[in-house]
Amino acid sequence: MKDFFVSYTGADLQIASWIAWVLEDAGYSVVFQEWDFRAAGPSVIGNIDSVSKECERTLLVLSPDYFDSAFTKLEWETVVHKDPSGELGLLVPVVVKECTIDGVLRRLVSVSLLGLEEQAAKSTLLAALKRDRTKSAVKPLYKNANQQHSLHKPRYPGTLPEICNLPRRNPNFTGRESILETLRTSLQSGQNTAITQQAIHGLGGIGKTQLAIEYAWRHIADYDLIWWIRAEESSTLANDYASLAVKLNLPEKEVQDQKIVIEAVREWLDHNQNWLLIFDNARDSDSILHYLPNATAGHALITSRNQNWSNNLCNSLKIEVWSREESLAFLQKRITGIDELDAAKLSETLGYLPLSLEQAAAYGNARHKSCAEYLDLFSICRQELWNREKHPDNYPDTVATTWTLAFQETDRVPYATEILNLCSLVAPDAIPQSLILKALEYHAGQASEPPIDTLRIDDALEALTTYSLITYEQNQFSIHRLVQTVAQDRMQAEERDQYCHAAIQALSELFPDEGFTTPDCWPECSALTSHAEALFESVADDTAVWQEFSLLLTKMGSYFHGHADYGKAEPLLHRSLEIREKVLGTDHPAVALSLNNLASLLDSQGKYAEAEPLYRRAVAIHENAPGTDHPNTIIIKNNLDDLLCELGDDPHFAQKLPFAFSIIVVSSPRLSLPQRQNLYAELELGVPGKNLELMRHWYRLLPVTSYWPAKERLSGSAALRIFRALLWSRCSKFVEKTLSREKPFS
């Protein structure tokens, strides 16, 4: 006979598995549903009698969810018949969450683990279980060839895996028990098959993301790594996946080519176990295929609106709206004292759609409205929506009506509408607060003025979160895609353009300039990229903010260039060039800079035939204005020389190097002592022997004022930048090809 049967509900799986593990570790034998009833066949519910007969005692894991379950009562009622007075101690109630214990269980002495750290909880639990009992003097071993649970101790609730970026758990999550069980069974059964991926799909607002979050939290004790990946856009998908390399401290974490980093992460996953990847809102199977590991030692959970998922890639599960019972349970949890008949009518009116019911509950709580009062308002507002000339056809009219009621309330709060509209135009997840506030300044026409009233911003955020229009956590906003759709539909075309322009201006200002050369700023670039991409299709090339738009395209293109993601960089730099040509004409110096940027990208890919005419055109424009001595002109000419030397077409490079080197000589009076020391150190490291002496000879001979107009003298930092860009981009190759000759110059 086993010592304990652990009775629990799925919402408390983590603490229940920890309790079961502690019991077995202490020498008790345990029957635990998650471990002992995974195989196909009768469930625990169908074998209550046999389970109670083979277990001496039953331990109840008590929480509000336990008492809400329709099945748990069956698991302890059988035991009550054996020990109605509780004197035998056959029932052991263990309280893991605040709850009210009524009825026959109230007579029993319960064990509370509330507020205890792990060691204290363990001691309390084991002390409460002690009693005189027949037991072998030798500690029994728990051994089952088909189970692995005893090899890996579950974490105590509240402790996360060392590597985890899981979103916060939803305290109002309701229902979906059968789906959660199906997910678990599907992923667990895949341990011995080729499929350990599970896709869940359904309409927007159906609760796919919340379901994935709840699954991960319930089984968090089973994983050593949980990584949440925003999979809707290719840029966020790649960046979120690659960022795992930093957490894993892989050698490739700082490699420029993101494809190499992604492959390193996937290889690590192939050789390790107990991980869970969650691809949220994936477009289709092709978009994530490259990111799925080949090994079966971990799990991948995918959420998507797309229902077409290959059976060879993953199992597929469709999520429907809530049942009537689930809808009622949710409203009763969210709204205190709600009338059941009114709740049923509201659920039916809103089509049992979880997102609509959440928003309705938020509105009712904020405005202190009963269900009946809310339904009256809903009916009036719905009729107004139907009377509009344009009715959106890409989301249910009940959704539009539900949020319009909330919008009417938040419209009264300063800045709330503006913040919501800005959030509706960018990517829906991980929206930096700094981006929205900067865009808000531009929209208000005060980008150069003091910051907008912070107290009013706080009031606006409170209103938007109160009505469940956005979520706000760690200086980031998130907004559901359906809320974005409804918010966008409320704006007139001209109004929408104004918000787009403000967002473009903010992104142009905030996006780092150093994305091409500075890996330290790549996380910041990555955080802004998806929001910029969400706006690109909505902004015309001849937009009123074309200058900021062109600059943003250039910065992003340079970032992708530095990341060796040439496929993403090229269309951005092409579009920036086209905008400047259209607005400024084909001979403007800004056009020359765009030509140089695009040519450099093509040069990096070995597309020399395409790059050369762009370089030549850029040089011609810059020599005309601002002139041959301008730093940008020299940099572009050097890039062309670099390419020609690569092709073997520049026999005069040896004569041009002294001129290039003179830039640093002319600027040297502006260099600080540490900058001079760094410069010499670079020369010492990069140029051997007599070549270094030759450069020093040039340094002594060239007059300080020969090549550079006094009005364009450079700062020390600018001089170093030009030195590295101009000289070192060619110097090492020139040393090999020219300076090694016995008499390089006459």
Side-chain angles (χ1 to χ4, degrees), residues 474-488:
Q474 297 180 345
N475 295 322
Q476 289 185 334
F477 305 126
S478 292
I479 180 172
H480 196 278
R481 291 157 186 82
L482 283 179
V483 181
Q484 285 186 308
T485 302
V486 179
Q488 289 179 28

Side-chain angles (χ1 to χ4, degrees), residues 16 84 168 219 224 238 289 309 339 346 438 493 564 571 653 677 739:
R168 182 182 299 176
H219 300 283
D224 297 325
L289 183 61
W309 288 88
D339 179 84
L346 178 61
K438 179 59 65 177
F653 184 76
Q677 292 172 338
L739 288 182

Side-chain angles (χ1 to χ4, degrees), residues 375-521:
L375 285 169
D376 289 340
L377 290 171
F378 183 89
S379 177
I380 295 171
C381 188
R382 189 175 193 176
Q383 187 61 46
E384 290 176 355
L385 286 174
W386 282 344
N387 290 336
R388 295 186 313 177
E389 292 183 8
K390 176 180 178 291
H391 182 72
D393 57 5
N394 56 344
Y395 54 87
D397 59 83
T398 55
V399 174
T401 309
T402 302
W403 277 300
T404 298
L405 289 172
F407 291 155
Q408 290 173 353
E409 298 299 328
T410 57
D411 284 346
R412 301 189 180 108
V413 182
Y415 298 129
T417 299
E418 290 86 343
I419 292 174
L420 183 66
N421 288 344
L422 287 166
C423 287
S424 75
L425 295 172
V426 296
D429 300 314
I431 307 170
Q433 180 178 347
S434 58
L435 170 60
I436 296 301
L437 295 185
K438 179 59 65 177
L440 196 59
E441 291 178 4
Y442 276 109
H443 185 264
Q446 58 178 65
S448 59
E449 299 296 325
I452 293 175
D453 188 341
T454 303
L455 293 178
R456 288 191 171 189
I457 294 296
D458 291 342
D459 291 341
L461 295 179
E462 182 180 5
L464 292 170
T465 54
T466 297
Y467 287 96
S468 293
L469 294 174
I470 66 169
T471 57
Y472 177 61
E473 184 178 358
Q474 297 180 345
N475 295 322
Q476 289 185 334
F477 305 126
S478 292
I479 180 172
H480 196 278
R481 291 157 186 82
L482 283 179
V483 181
Q484 285 186 308
T485 302
V486 179
Q488 289 179 28
D489 187 67
R490 297 175 74 224
M491 289 186 277
Q492 300 296 322
E494 182 178 353
E495 183 183 14
R496 178 190 171 96
D497 287 345
Q498 291 173 352
Y499 283 109
C500 282
H501 294 168
I504 288 292
Q505 289 173 297
L507 283 163
S508 179
E509 178 178 338
L510 295 176
F511 205 97
D513 294 311
E514 305 83 12
F516 178 65
T517 56
T518 310
D520 288 346
C521 76

